Amino acid sequence: MFKALPTGAAAMVALGLLGPASAAPLPDSPGVAWGAGSNGRLGTGYTTDAVSPLAIRGPAFSAITAGTYHSCGISAGAAYCWGEGANGRLGTGTFTDQPLPTSVQASGRLFTAITAGSRHTCALDTAGQAYCWGEGGSGRLGTGTTNDSVVPVPVDTSGALAGKTLSAITAGWDYTCALDTAGQAYCWGYGGAGQLGNGSLGNKYIPTPVASGTWTAMDAGVNHTCAIATDGTASCWGEGSVGQLGTGTSTPAPTPTAVDSTATWSTISAGDQFACALTTAAAPYCWGEGESGRLGNDSIGRRKSPDLVTVNGALTGRTLTSVTTGTSHACALDTEGLAYCWGNGFAGRLGTGNTTSVRVPTPVDTSGTLLGRQLSAIVAGSADTLALVAGGPLPTIPNAPTAVRATAGNRQATVTWTPATDGGSPVTSFTVTSKPGNHVCSATAPPCVVTGLGNNRAYAFVVSATNRIGTSAQSELSPSVTPIAPTPAPARPKMTFVKVKVGHHHARMRYKSVPAKAKAQYRMMTRKGKFPRWHKLHASSWRFRVQSGRRYVIKLRVTTAAGHSPVRVVKFRVR
């Protein structure tokens, strides 16, 4: 738990991550993260959880580490941290949270390994000297005091570390351990459960030798520590109440105590009340608390001795290369660069695309960011998981659209925007949301018409973009617009009544119209059967001369600003 993914071959072997002593350093590689995103610990630029792997938006890393609410990495020797900044655990000189990888203020010092604890961080420089920063309670920084530090400070070398060169370092919950190049182990910080391995239960403010053993790998958990000796056997020490020491009992041990197994081990990882390890034959075992299925053996029961992780199902035919434990979940990598996780699925820490807890190894989602890619290393944090990816840059979620503008209509608005960078994966849709009301429309490109709005109410709009990796943050709010019902078009006039009374020499025509004051016009057919232009009528009753024996055809209409009425045709013959 809280281990680093280191760079140097010796450091890799010391942390049991990459196999034999001849293992080459990891190249700088893109990072991914999934699980709880609070305080920005995933390094994606956001604080939301992720149920599937997302790219860490920072440089390529040669080592990464996951703590409780923060994470760190090394790129080209420089240290970066992100997540919660309380106590100075990010080493940036402030207490401010950082949602993206941010440079540690190390005065140009280069590092080879880095490890994050609960509220502190430690690293090794190229000379094998340890530096720590963050909370100093219980002496976990190893400086001889309990002072916090917002920047890296050297671990004390006046005592047990005098003349020693460190090759690996691992941070537990509130303590720290390290190995030197001769395989000797040292621990400092909180020792109340015996996790420092020196035979006492007291705190140590400077590095203190572990009571016995020569080690090739070591990992600090919440309140117990496990290590692999030069002969391949494993030992653990510290709190043992639920079998997390793997000794076959529930007895705590303040000094290294052999794990109850005849196997030889290549990798070991201590979590919160449990531990997991790989044998040299790549068989995975776990022991301790089984709640949420964290032992991977298809049960939730405790095991006081190593118990084989379920190797049928997802692990059938797979050969594992590393295993890592968090507070209540574990993950592993195989030789194909595929990852598997099991245990508590809260906040998506298993990376399976959901938050379901599982009791057996389950493949991490490769349909998005990891499509066609291989992982080179993996590390479990408290409620998140980080990994390094072989190859070049990874696609990310898109950036939020910009320049959002809206034009109001009747109970709707037409929204436009400028798409931002797509994160290396084409945008498949944009989603427009009204504020207030959360009325939504979707489109593959601008514009998009949001319907269902209320008239005479102001609305602003945000836009997000989605690609196969995920959905961007929402854009800034657009300027507000107010939908308004259009002014009804004036109704066309109409004639409602027309009557002609014919006498011997005169005829009288009367009409009614809507509106009553509409202007009337008429056309009377000539003897030749033609209609001249329209003439105005100045009253609603019109008397005109007629001739006996003649047939009359008169067209009438009324007119307003809205236009003309339908034409009424009146026909009559004078006797």
Side-chain angles (χ1 to χ4, degrees), residues 33-37 40-44 48-50 55-56 71 82 99 384-386:
W34 59 89
R41 71 178 91 173
L42 299 184
T44 60
T48 51
D49 299 344
I56 297 172
S71 306
W82 56 95
D384 57 345
T385 308
L386 279 63

Side-chain angles (χ1 to χ4, degrees), residues 136-234:
S138 305
R140 69 192 75 182
L141 302 188
T143 60
T145 74
T146 59
N147 296 334
D148 296 353
S149 179
V150 296
V151 295
V153 289
V155 172
D156 182 87
T157 57
S158 64
L161 292 188
K164 305 293 185 179
T165 300
L166 298 180
S167 59
I169 194 164
T170 175
W173 187 265
D174 46 13
Y175 70 106
T176 311
C177 296
L179 292 180
D180 69 16
T181 53
Q184 301 303 304
Y186 310 85
C187 294
W188 58 93
Y190 182 74
Q195 61 263 54
L196 303 186
N198 56 30
S200 77
L201 303 181
N203 299 341
K204 297 298 180 182
Y205 303 98
I206 61 174
T208 303
V210 171
S212 61
T214 304
W215 314 99
T216 61
M218 180 170 60
D219 191 40
V222 169
N223 55 16
H224 74 296
T225 309
C226 293
I228 297 174
T230 52
D231 63 0
T233 60

Side-chain angles (χ1 to χ4, degrees), residues 483-494:
I484 298 176
T487 302
R492 289 180 64 189
K494 60 181 179 180

Side-chain angles (χ1 to χ4, degrees), residues 432-448:
V432 181
T433 305
S434 73
K435 303 292 181 180
N438 291 324
H439 299 278
V440 172
C441 75
S442 297
T444 57
C448 192

Side-chain angles (χ1 to χ4, degrees), residues 463-546:
V463 184
S464 60
T466 299
N467 62 12
R468 68 177 175 86
I469 308 304
T471 300
S472 73
Q474 291 182 331
S475 67
E476 294 184 358
L477 280 169
S478 71
S480 296
V481 297
T482 302
I484 298 176
T487 302
R492 289 180 64 189
K494 60 181 179 180
M495 302 190 76
T496 60
F497 172 82
V498 177
K499 186 174 182 179
V500 178
K501 185 176 181 180
V502 182
H504 293 291
H505 301 290
H506 292 86
R508 183 176 293 277
M509 181 180 292
R510 293 186 298 117
Y511 70 90
K512 294 182 180 179
S513 66
V514 176
K517 294 183 177 181
K519 296 178 180 180
Q521 296 175 309
Y522 76 92
R523 300 171 73 180
M524 183 180 297
M525 187 175 70
T526 65
R527 290 179 181 274
K528 295 182 179 180
K530 296 183 179 180
F531 289 92
R533 62 182 178 83
W534 290 97
H535 298 277
K536 292 181 180 179
L537 283 174
H538 300 286
S540 61
S541 179
W542 172 39
R543 184 174 180 271
F544 56 96
R545 292 179 63 83
V546 295

Side-chain angles (χ1 to χ4, degrees), residues 287-311:
W287 57 91
E289 177 61 62
E291 182 182 10
S292 302
R294 70 186 77 178
L295 301 186
N297 58 5
D298 201 18
S299 80
I300 57 173
R302 296 173 179 174
R303 298 292 186 269
K304 299 177 183 179
S305 299
D307 197 47
L308 184 66
V309 173
T310 300
V311 292

